[in-house]
């Protein structure tokens, strides 16, 4: 058996900085290039090394064996600066208990009621659109998803200026996590503009969410709990443990985790879905026909989702092409074996849903937008073997159905009335931060009931 020293290194590394330059200049192209060099490929970021997994089999092996390949490495080390030790970022030793305590908040029986809240805020945001208006698509989608999270988690809303701060802070923090993955920790203390912006945004974001938590706790103490996510977390008890429930610190970390994950990933997926539809008119026409036949002139409902298979396929295909979190890391907790190699304890393992989703042997013509891949009649879909947008194993995203429900309903509701077209000069290239979001996606709104033809 070989050791990690025999794992090939990706070409293009420079002295001192390693592969940092291609990861900043063309990260997605760099990730797509790696399988050509082997199933396992080493990359260097400064003095740090990581082994990138280039096959779905190895990716699944690492995700399933979360005791051996624990949350760690550059991505999660930096994410903990923002999210603390919530269920997404905590080490294996804390995860099973946190999962048992937080899972009930996302039980499927709650989805029908949560869907009504989702639709209320989709309609509220899109009601402000006018025919021919140019909108900032990611920003408007973030308005929807942040309002949904506040309503379903805290049973509250925030002032528009606070919401604007949240949006700005999310953008800065997510970009900062990605950038700081590639920088030595010693540079964190330098009084650079980027460091100051990051720390200010992180502090304000956590303060905003903590204030919402505190306000909800006060309301629960006075009036009793409700059916929002925070009330469920407050009342959760671990039947397999000896603790009373989540501590105040754990509760705050879960709140920040749910808020960031629930707002950004859903908004990004919805924005990419609308953009891809605008570039694929045939799919768009079929979606309009499906939505018109199922919902007519009324808002879509949770009960309509099974009757909207194309809308569901569009969302899944968007997640395949643009998985919200394209690159993550784990850490080997003991000497182990991976792909025929000895992996020493402490080795950083990197995996990329984007890389796996774009392998031609896992998905034919992987760069093509084809929602038909997900149809029941299409045979074996990518989801069974090589779809990692929600992770895998015991640490698969517990909010996957909440997120899918929100995006499918929002997409169907928007498509029932609107068509969107890219505005002149728009730049829809992926902007890689901690999430894969469109860079500057501005689009014209066209009212299907009587807007100008495009």
């Amino acid at each position: 058996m070989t050791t990690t020293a025999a794992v090939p290194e990706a070409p293009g590394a420079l002295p001192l900085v390693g592969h940092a330059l291609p990861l900043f200049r063309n990260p997605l192209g760099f990730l797509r290039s790696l399988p050509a060099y082997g199933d396992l490929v080493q990359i260097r970021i400064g003095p740090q090394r990581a082994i990138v997994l280039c096959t779905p089999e190895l990716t699944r092996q690492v995700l399933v064996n979360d005791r051996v390949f624990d949350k760690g490495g550059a991505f999660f080390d930096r994410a903990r600066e923002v999210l603390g030790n919530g269920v997404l970022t905590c080490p294996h030793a804390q995860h099973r208990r946190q999962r048992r305590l937080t899972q009930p908040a996302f039980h499927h029986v709650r989805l029908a009621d949560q869907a009504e809240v989702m639709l209320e805020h989709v309609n509220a945001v899109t009601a402000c659109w006018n025919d021919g208006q140019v909108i900032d698509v990611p920003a408007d989608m973030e308005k929807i998803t942040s309002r949904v999270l506040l309503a379903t988690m805290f049973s509250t809303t925030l002032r528009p200026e606070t919401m604007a701060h949240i949006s700005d802070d999310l953008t800065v923090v997510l970009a900062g996590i990605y950038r700081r993955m590639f920088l030595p920790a010693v540079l964190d203390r330098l009084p650079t503009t980027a460091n100051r912006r990051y720390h200010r945004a992180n502090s304000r974001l956590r303060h905003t969410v903590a204030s919402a938590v505190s306000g909800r706790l006060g309301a629960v103490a006075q009036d009793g709990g409700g059916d929002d996510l925070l009330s469920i977390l407050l009342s959760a008890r671990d039947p397999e443990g000896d603790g009373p429930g989540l501590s105040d610190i754990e509760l705050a970390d879960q709140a920040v985790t749910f808020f960031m994950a629930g707002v950004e990933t859903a908004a990004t997926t919805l924005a990419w879905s609308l953009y891809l539809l605008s570039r694929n008119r045939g799919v768009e026409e079929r979606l309009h026909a499906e939505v018109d036949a199922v919902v007519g002139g009324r808002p879509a409902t949770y009960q309509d989702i099974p009757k909207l298979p194309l809308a569901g396929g569009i969302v899944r295909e968007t997640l395949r092409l643009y998985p919200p979190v394209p690159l993550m890391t784990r850490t080997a907790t003991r000497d182990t074996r991976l792909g025929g190699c000895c992996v020493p304890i402490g080795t950083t393992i990197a995996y990329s849903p984007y890389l796996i989703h774009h392998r031609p042997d896992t998905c034919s013509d992987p760069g093509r937008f084809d929602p038909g891949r997900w149809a029941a009649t299409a045979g074996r879909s990518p989801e069974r073997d090589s779809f990692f947008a929600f992770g895998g194993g015991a640490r698969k995203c517990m909010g996957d159905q909440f997120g899918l429900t929100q995006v499918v309903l929002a997409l169907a509701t928007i498509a029932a009335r609107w068509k969107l077209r890219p505005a002149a000069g728009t730049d829809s290239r992926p902007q890689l931060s901690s999430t894969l979001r469109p860079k500057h996606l501005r689009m014209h709104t066209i009212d299907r009931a009587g807007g100008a033809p495009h």
Side-chain angles (χ1 to χ4, degrees), residues 138-272:
D140 271 20
M141 298 308 103
E142 204 166 272
K143 285 180 186 177
I144 293 171
T145 58
S146 58
R147 292 176 184 182
V148 167
L149 238 293
L150 285 167
T152 56
M153 185 154 193
F154 303 114
S155 296
T156 189
T157 59
L158 294 177
R159 293 177 298 175
E161 58 269 27
T162 304
M163 295 297 296
H165 284 318
I166 287 176
S167 179
D168 292 342
D169 292 341
L170 278 173
T171 300
V172 171
V173 166
L174 290 168
I177 291 173
Y178 180 75
R179 184 184 66 253
R180 292 158 75 87
M181 283 173 60
F182 307 119
L183 297 175
V186 68
L187 299 181
D188 295 351
R189 296 188 293 272
L190 296 180
T192 65
T193 300
N195 278 345
R196 288 196 298 269
R197 290 185 68 221
Y198 173 81
H199 290 301
R200 183 169 58 247
N202 187 16
S203 176
R204 187 165 61 184
L205 181 63
R206 286 195 66 94
H207 175 75
T208 301
V209 176
S211 295
V213 170
S214 177
R216 185 61 187 141
L217 291 178
V220 169
Q222 182 175 351
D223 302 325
D227 199 38
D228 56 272
L229 300 180
L230 189 60
S231 293
I232 295 166
L233 293 180
L234 279 168
S235 63
R237 296 295 180 268
D238 183 7
E240 299 182 30
D242 56 3
L246 292 168
S247 68
D248 290 349
I249 292 175
E250 288 175 328
L251 194 63
D253 288 346
Q254 308 306 342
V256 176
T257 296
F258 291 172
F259 191 82
M260 181 173 289
V263 170
E264 178 67 17
T265 58
T268 297
T269 301
L270 190 49
W272 279 122

Side-chain angles (χ1 to χ4, degrees), residues 102-112 114 229 232 398 401:
T102 54
Q103 185 76 59
F106 293 96
H107 197 284
H108 66 87
V109 299
R110 306 182 191 281
L111 275 176
Q114 290 168 340
L229 300 180
I232 295 166
M398 71 174 69
Q401 293 306 309

Side-chain angles (χ1 to χ4, degrees), residues 27 52 128 132 141-142 198 224 228 259 274 279 294-295 311 314 317 346 382 390 425 441-442:
V52 182
C128 298
M141 298 308 103
E142 204 166 272
Y198 173 81
D228 56 272
F259 191 82
L274 294 169
R279 300 296 299 270
V294 172
V295 306
I314 289 167
E317 181 69 347
F390 298 111
L441 182 56
R442 298 173 62 80

Side-chain angles (χ1 to χ4, degrees), residues 3 58-59 90 115 165 196 221 232 250-251 259 276 311 332 357 369 372 379 425 434 442:
T3 65
L58 290 172
T59 302
C90 70
H165 284 318
R196 288 196 298 269
I232 295 166
E250 288 175 328
L251 194 63
F259 191 82
L276 289 167
H357 293 178
F369 176 65
S434 297
R442 298 173 62 80

Side-chain angles (χ1 to χ4, degrees), residues 415-432:
R417 179 173 175 186
W418 301 97
K419 293 187 288 188
L420 300 182
R421 296 290 180 264
T426 194
D427 182 359
S428 58
R429 289 177 298 173
Q431 176 179 340
L432 188 57

